[in-house]
Amino acid sequence: MRWMPFAGAFAIAVLSLAPPADTLADRSFAWHMVQHLTLFFVVPLLLLLSRPFALFRSVAGKATTARFVRATRPLHFAASAPVALVTAIAVLWGTHYSPLYESALDVAWIHASEHALYLLAGTLFWLPVLDVPPLRPNPYAVRLFYLIVALPQGALLALALNAARVPLYPHYAAVVPMAAALRDQQDAAAIMWIASGLVIFVALLATMGAWAARENRAAVAGTVLAVLTASFALRASADPPAPSYADDQARKGQTLFYRHCAECHGATLGGHFGPALAGGSDNVRWATVSYVWQYITAHMPAGNAGGLTQTEYLDVMAFLLESHGRPAGKTALTPRAALESKAYFGP
Ligand code: HEC
């Protein structure tokens, strides 16, 4: 038994459940998210790190421990990586993106069971990556894979929360004006995104470190490299597609570019008085389509901002997309598609 993590788990649980945190959580989705993520990720992790089984064994004695281990063996499947992950995802979505959330705000016992559920699902979530007797520990490669699959889950939920254009839970909207409730909801989404990603990322690094400390460095480095490559590939394939534009938009756009932009950005977009807009040393490819659209319509051509019509700006956008290797599509580029596209400009 280690007392430091145990005391930490206890203190953090009390802090997040008692006022003022609880009062804040009742009024704000964002604070509620902090409370939930603490109960889900932090408290169970610290509890498991405190080696509760060692305490159990020293209190219960050898014979009882052996009997307990035998009796609970059928439950071990719940701690297997797929079951633990699916449970965690189901609990996070079910409690943050369903009518259950609103009922939990209004009915005390549902709220209390929800918190118990977080502790339980959070404990399950961590079991596959830790070495918790009497469970058989997973190989490190499995632990890493598990964490990588878990990594984007919080972000997906955050995206769904962030995309909602109205407050999802009337409880908060009743306390503050609707616009404030919406902002609060988006803060909650951001917290979900950043905190869950950060916690799991740190766990990923710790797991790699533990593995490297134990195994042959070269093998670990090879696996880590493979994993990183795979995750970049996943990230690339998860990118939203660039919006479609018509070929004649790009042709008109090219002419407009020569007339209004080339003197500063160069006829081949390689840069002159202004920065390069394509070709590899440009910054544009790191920006989203939405960003570039808003930028050029608001600031370009420099010295004559807003000097083109909206149709002309669209044509120039189409030409820029073409210059970044995006092929023309069936439908023309619309202001709305340009404004909303979160695709990265460059390939
Ligand atoms: C008079 C010179 C001038 C003209 C004309 C001009 N730009 Fe620019 N442009 C600049 C400068 C200078 C910057 C850098 C501004 C800054 O960093 O604040 C810039 C920045 C940009 C950027 C952002 C690039 C980056 O790396 O940050 C884009 C995109 C862009 N211009 C597009 C256009 C388009 C499209 C046109 C024509 C419609 C145009 N510009 C016309 C001077 C010009």
Side-chain angles (χ1 to χ4, degrees):
M1 182 77 187
R2 294 190 196 136
W3 289 104
M4 282 295 278
F6 186 77
F10 188 76
I12 291 175
V14 169
L15 270 182
S16 63
L17 287 172
D22 203 47
T23 325
L24 286 170
D26 190 48
R27 251 178 288 155
S28 140
F29 196 177
W31 276 102
H32 224 137
M33 196 58 104
V34 173
Q35 183 189 47
H36 287 178
L37 292 175
T38 310
L39 291 176
F40 191 93
F41 284 116
V42 184
V43 174
L45 178 62
L46 288 173
L47 273 182
L48 290 173
L49 290 177
S50 73
R51 304 214 173 132
F53 191 66
L55 177 68
F56 181 84
R57 197 166 40 196
S58 64
V59 171
K62 260 196 182 137
T64 318
T65 306
R67 227 174 305 128
F68 172 79
V69 168
R70 225 171 305 122
T72 54
R73 186 151 298 148
L75 296 177
H76 285 192
F77 81 92
S80 69
V83 178
L85 192 62
V86 169
T87 311
I89 295 172
V91 166
L92 285 180
W93 278 86
T95 56
H96 289 111
Y97 201 72
S98 83
L100 196 62
Y101 190 91
E102 181 75 13
S103 0
L105 287 170
D106 296 332
V107 187
W109 72 264
I110 300 186
H111 202 189
S113 352
E114 190 183 64
H115 289 167
L117 190 63
Y118 288 139
L119 291 173
L120 195 75
T123 306
L124 270 189
F125 174 77
W126 287 119
L127 284 175
V129 279
L130 297 175
D131 196 347
V132 185
L135 296 170
R136 195 171 312 131
N138 280 313
Y140 279 104
V142 172
R143 301 187 198 192
L144 286 184
F145 184 70
Y146 174 85
L147 287 171
I148 284 167
V149 177
L151 193 59
Q153 299 305 330
L156 293 178
L157 174 53
L159 272 180
L161 290 175
N162 194 48
R165 285 289 154 257
V166 288
L168 291 168
Y169 304 112
H171 177 96
Y172 298 124
V175 192
V176 292
M178 183 137 143
L182 194 57
R183 220 173 312 124
D184 178 38
Q185 181 164 298
Q186 285 159 2
D187 289 346
I191 290 170
M192 171 63 132
W193 189 319
I194 295 167
S196 69
L198 201 65
V199 167
I200 297 177
F201 190 67
V202 170
L204 203 66
L205 292 182
T207 307
M208 287 182 196
W211 193 9
R214 179 165 304 184
E215 308 264 337
N216 177 333
R217 299 258 160 95
V220 174
T223 313
V224 168
L225 211 67
V227 160
L228 285 181
T229 317
S231 51
F232 275 117
L234 260 178
R235 156 100 182 45
S237 65
D239 263 353
S244 164
Y245 66 87
D247 189 53
D248 69 306
Q249 285 184 306
R251 295 288 58 78
K252 284 186 219 145
Q254 187 167 22
T255 312
L256 289 163
F257 190 88
Y258 290 146
R259 192 175 314 144
H260 297 284
C261 322
E263 63 175 291
C264 295
H265 291 287
T268 54
L269 291 79
H272 190 40
F273 301 120
L277 300 182
S281 57
D282 61 302
N283 291 321
V284 173
R285 66 207 181 101
W286 303 114
T288 62
V289 170
S290 170
Y291 179 86
V292 173
W293 168 251
Q294 293 178 64
Y295 187 88
I296 65 168
T297 50
H299 302 294
M300 291 296 137
N304 183 23
L308 279 61
T309 65
Q310 178 161 279
T311 315
E312 289 175 328
Y313 277 118
L314 282 174
D315 294 344
V316 170
M317 259 320 258
F319 173 61
L320 286 178
L321 281 165
E322 185 186 54
S323 308
H324 281 261
R326 305 290 192 181
K330 287 199 193 76
T331 54
L333 183 65
T334 62
R336 192 184 168 139
L339 184 63
E340 289 184 353
S341 172
K342 296 284 179 256
Y344 284 91
F345 211 90

